[in-house]
Amino acid sequence: MRRTFLLEIVMIAVAVAFLFPVYSLVSLSLKDPGQISRSPLALPDPPTFDNYGSAWSAAALGPSLVNSTVITVVSLVALIALGSFAAYFLARVQSRLGYGLYILFLLGIVLPFQLGMIPLYELVSDLGLIGTHTGMILFYTGIQLPFTVFLYTGFIRALPREYASAAQIDGASHLTAFTRVVFPLLRPITGTVLILNAVFIWNDFFTPLVYLGGSGYETVPVSVFAFVGQYVSDHGLVFAGLVLGALPIVVVFLALQRYVIKGFSSGLKG
């Protein structure tokens, strides 16, 4: 009984630690500058929603949300298509080539992409893709593909080979067997791939700042950064912009969170 009580106390403390930043974010977004300076941690009294309207118009969050959505969605489609097919090859082909390619993808996870920022920027610039959606989509697809292949490979190795073999015996090609039989079975890990990559791409600040800054195609984090200056920062607008920018990805995460643990556990089991 005492052990259970102590465990509940620890769990409550952990929950408070995780919820406190969320409370601060929402609370500060509902305060005017006077309330923020007087009592930043107190409840808004009275709450005001003016910051949300000002943040939406001043930071042009509407176009920024569209830019973030286009870049995130197209990048996810490319990652799921390329990553799942590459992982199927790596998981099913038992050869030195397959093993070597898998190790190469693992190196892509270990090595930080910041090491190649300058060469990547020069390459994207030479292709004329600076300040475009296409440049960002290609960047995110290349950067996140090793991680995506790693997740898919572990899950596919846990699947029985008989599913695809039965389809091939009936006359299906490798591509047909993958698209019609194997890929529908990848729904749990696809949810994991989707949410983890979506959170990374949506919340990334540094890369859009470098590749899209001043182009008119800024994403939400870059647009919210416009409220932060060297000498003056409007914290109410900053936090309101953060709440508006975080809402879409929070909704997606809550809708797909059950797939994250399910996908990881299935992959680790294999």
Side-chain angles (χ1 to χ4, degrees):
M1 188 69 179
R2 182 179 179 183
R3 182 179 180 183
T4 304
F5 176 74
L6 291 176
L7 183 60
E8 291 178 351
I9 295 297
V10 172
M11 293 178 63
I12 292 173
V14 171
V16 171
F18 276 97
L19 291 175
F20 180 74
V22 178
Y23 161 77
S24 299
L25 177 66
V26 176
S27 175
L28 290 172
S29 70
L30 297 173
K31 294 180 180 180
D32 56 44
Q35 293 185 60
I36 294 176
S37 60
R38 290 194 306 269
S39 53
L41 298 181
L43 290 171
D45 186 25
T48 176
F49 291 92
D50 294 340
N51 290 330
Y52 288 91
S54 300
W56 182 270
S57 57
L61 284 182
S64 298
L65 284 170
V66 173
N67 294 329
S68 291
T69 301
V70 170
I71 292 172
T72 302
V73 170
V74 178
S75 298
L76 290 174
V77 171
L79 285 168
I80 291 172
L82 296 175
S84 60
F85 197 74
Y88 180 68
F89 171 82
L90 296 176
R92 290 293 182 252
V93 175
Q94 303 296 329
S95 66
R96 291 184 178 180
L97 175 62
Y99 180 76
L101 290 174
Y102 183 68
I103 295 300
L104 192 62
F105 278 113
L106 292 182
L107 288 176
I109 300 176
V110 175
L111 297 177
F113 76 90
Q114 289 84 354
L115 293 177
M117 281 300 297
I118 295 178
L120 284 172
Y121 184 87
E122 292 179 350
L123 175 62
V124 175
S125 178
D126 292 339
L127 294 174
L129 298 178
I130 294 294
T132 65
H133 289 159
T134 304
M136 292 303 304
I137 292 168
L138 291 176
F139 178 89
Y140 285 127
T141 302
I143 291 298
Q144 292 300 104
L145 189 59
F147 179 64
T148 302
V149 170
F150 171 73
L151 292 178
Y152 271 122
T153 302
F155 191 90
I156 292 175
R157 284 175 176 170
L159 293 178
R161 294 173 177 267
E162 288 75 13
Y163 293 124
S165 299
Q168 292 169 7
I169 292 174
D170 291 337
S173 63
H174 285 286
L175 179 61
T176 302
F178 172 75
T179 55
R180 298 291 182 86
V181 178
V182 177
F183 188 76
L185 299 174
L186 303 181
R187 184 179 300 176
I189 195 63
T190 298
T192 304
V193 167
L194 192 152
I195 189 61
L196 294 181
N197 284 318
V199 170
F200 172 80
I201 296 171
W202 186 274
N203 292 332
D204 186 27
F205 168 74
F206 177 71
T207 307
L209 179 65
V210 173
Y211 285 80
L212 299 177
S215 66
Y217 293 105
E218 290 87 354
T219 57
V220 172
V222 178
S223 296
V224 173
F225 182 68
F227 294 130
V228 181
Q230 182 176 1
Y231 302 105
V232 179
S233 298
D234 194 331
H235 294 95
L237 295 183
V238 171
F239 288 112
L242 290 174
V243 171
L244 292 173
L247 277 178
I249 200 66
V250 169
V251 171
V252 173
F253 178 80
L254 293 177
L256 300 176
Q257 61 176 334
R258 62 191 179 97
Y259 290 112
V260 176
I261 297 177
K262 187 176 181 181
F264 268 130
S265 61
S266 299
L268 292 173
K269 189 185 300 181

